[in-house]
Amino acid sequence: MRTKDEGKESQILEAALRLITQTGLAGLKMADLAREAGVATGTVYIYFIDKTALISRLYIYLIRTAWRDLTSGVAASDPVRIQVQKIAHNYLTENIERPEIGAFFEQYYRSPFYTKADNILTEENTALQPIYDVIARGQAETVIKDVAPDLLVTLVCGMLNEAAKLSLYTGEAFTKADWEATFSVLWDGIKR
Amino acid sequence: MRTKDEGKESQILEAALRLITQTGLAGLKMADLAREAGVATGTVYIYFIDKTALISRLYIYLIRTAWRDLTSGVAASDPVRIQVQKIAHNYLTENIERPEIGAFFEQYYRSPFYTKADNILTEENTALQPIYDVIARGQAETVIKDVAPDLLVTLVCGMLNEAAKLSLYTGEAFTKADWEATFSVLWDGIKR
DNA sequence: TTTCTAAATGAATTTTTATTCACTTACCTT
DNA sequence: AAGGTAAGTGAATAAAAATTCATTTAGAAA
């Protein structure tokens, strides 16, 4: 017997991600997807019962496996400012290098495929947990403004998301100077 | 002779905007659109040659007419900080009150309907011009950081965009305290 | 090797969705 | 009030896209 290739599922999902980045969910066609993934249309239906299931699976796949750990390089002994800097840098880099992820979520939440049933939002927040943690620590040490953490995280991520898009849209690299300016705005904005 | 109702075109466009906010461009169907607009499907084709033209027209319509003037309430004699505050507040309020606009642009730029031919991006930037202006003035007066204006505007709009979404997603109103915290982060971030 | 089972294929089919058009209606002109 | 013209209608049609399935292939078990 031939066994189901575990890798083929993610091969299809990655192809879907690539296409969605280009033409949006509105432009995703199963035939195109099969071609992009290098399989026959029927094959897609061996791995996913239908298009909805495919998209939904992609959502979960991205939440679970796509994001690199934001705390990489962060030492517990680092002062808050340095931790924020490293995490923010990781976050920005990840968004610039894998823009598909942000692009997908942006699309998905407004698509007919998204239902509140996909309430793995809890899990999604897990990715942002390091940001919440460092902000909590900063507030405890009174080096970060005493503002509702949700709002603070929102503002910070908003800045970084948009900064990542800037470099994508202009096609120009995000320079060291850009990063320094960005972090300056970010830190001066949230510090006490 | 019966004359083409000028108002009906925008009636259809507004209906499209409403539906797109709910289900995304991926979910927009001409039949649904006609129902939402209160006309027959054929009527839509009197005003727009096809779906692509409709979406494209909506894009132009939004760029041209949808955004309220961001400088409302701003006096030339106001100091930079106050001008920034008023403009930022207008921007945020507009995004909270008319979330459809931001939602549409988010979708559109990644959809198969968007082509670089729609390079009225120049015109779009017009809406943001007041932000560029006040930043230029602030930099000239050395009260705002000497950072590339594009980056600064990106960061500021990013914050505000995301702040607007927060109140939409949670369903909770953006309080006065939220606004004060937001402006504090924004201003401390960009001021010298 | 041979057999057997499930993966893989892609043309054919079904389903969904966009678009047309023969007809009706409203309103302007005379 | 009659005639003419363009807007409006929605069922019918065309086009596009999703999904199926009879058939082929790969590889595991015997």
Side-chain angles (χ1 to χ4, degrees), chain A residues 1-2 8 40-43 46-47:
Chain A
M1 164 183 82
R2 214 166 156 194
K8 193 155 284 186
T41 53
T43 306
I46 292 171
Y47 291 87

Side-chain angles (χ1 to χ4, degrees), chain B residues 27-47:
Chain B
L28 182 69
K29 286 156 212 160
M30 298 303 266
D32 292 348
L33 170 57
R35 190 174 333 104
E36 174 78 19
V39 300
T41 53
T43 306
V44 175
Y45 287 87
I46 292 170
Y47 290 88

Side-chain angles (χ1 to χ4, degrees), chain A residues 54-181:
Chain A
L54 167 76
I55 304 286
S56 173
R57 189 75 192 73
L58 179 54
Y59 173 64
I60 292 166
Y61 171 75
L62 288 180
I63 284 179
R64 298 238 171 102
T65 72
W67 277 58
R68 230 180 285 151
D69 179 14
L70 293 178
T71 61
S72 110
V74 176
S77 60
D78 287 335
V80 167
R81 184 176 177 283
I82 299 300
Q83 286 192 344
V84 170
Q85 190 174 36
K86 286 177 177 173
I87 292 170
H89 190 265
N90 286 342
Y91 183 93
L92 181 68
T93 303
E94 183 69 2
N95 271 284
I96 288 175
E97 289 177 2
R98 293 221 71 193
E100 311 84 48
I101 302 172
F104 175 78
F105 285 124
E106 223 177 67
Q107 296 278 311
Y108 182 70
Y109 289 128
R110 300 190 189 276
S111 77
F113 301 104
Y114 175 71
T115 60
K116 303 268 169 173
D118 295 328
N119 251 342
I120 317 186
L121 293 176
T122 337
E123 289 199 51
E124 182 186 21
N125 286 340
T126 303
L128 300 181
Q129 196 55 49
I131 309 186
Y132 278 94
D133 290 344
V134 74
I135 281 178
R137 184 185 152 205
Q139 289 180 328
E141 294 180 12
T142 69
V143 290
I144 289 181
K145 284 174 183 166
D146 190 24
V147 167
D150 279 335
L151 180 57
L152 229 37
V153 171
T154 297
L155 297 174
V156 165
C157 290
M159 268 188 241
L160 297 173
N161 288 341
E162 215 66 30
K165 279 196 226 165
L166 180 66
S167 102
L168 288 172
Y169 288 161
T170 64
E172 300 184 27
F174 206 76
T175 66
K176 196 148 185 291
D178 288 336
W179 163 245
E180 278 160 12

Side-chain angles (χ1 to χ4, degrees), chain B residues 86-102:
Chain B
K86 287 178 176 173
I87 291 170
H89 190 266
N90 286 342
Y91 183 93
L92 181 68
T93 304
E94 183 69 2
N95 270 285
I96 288 175
E97 288 177 3
R98 294 220 70 193
E100 311 85 46
I101 301 172

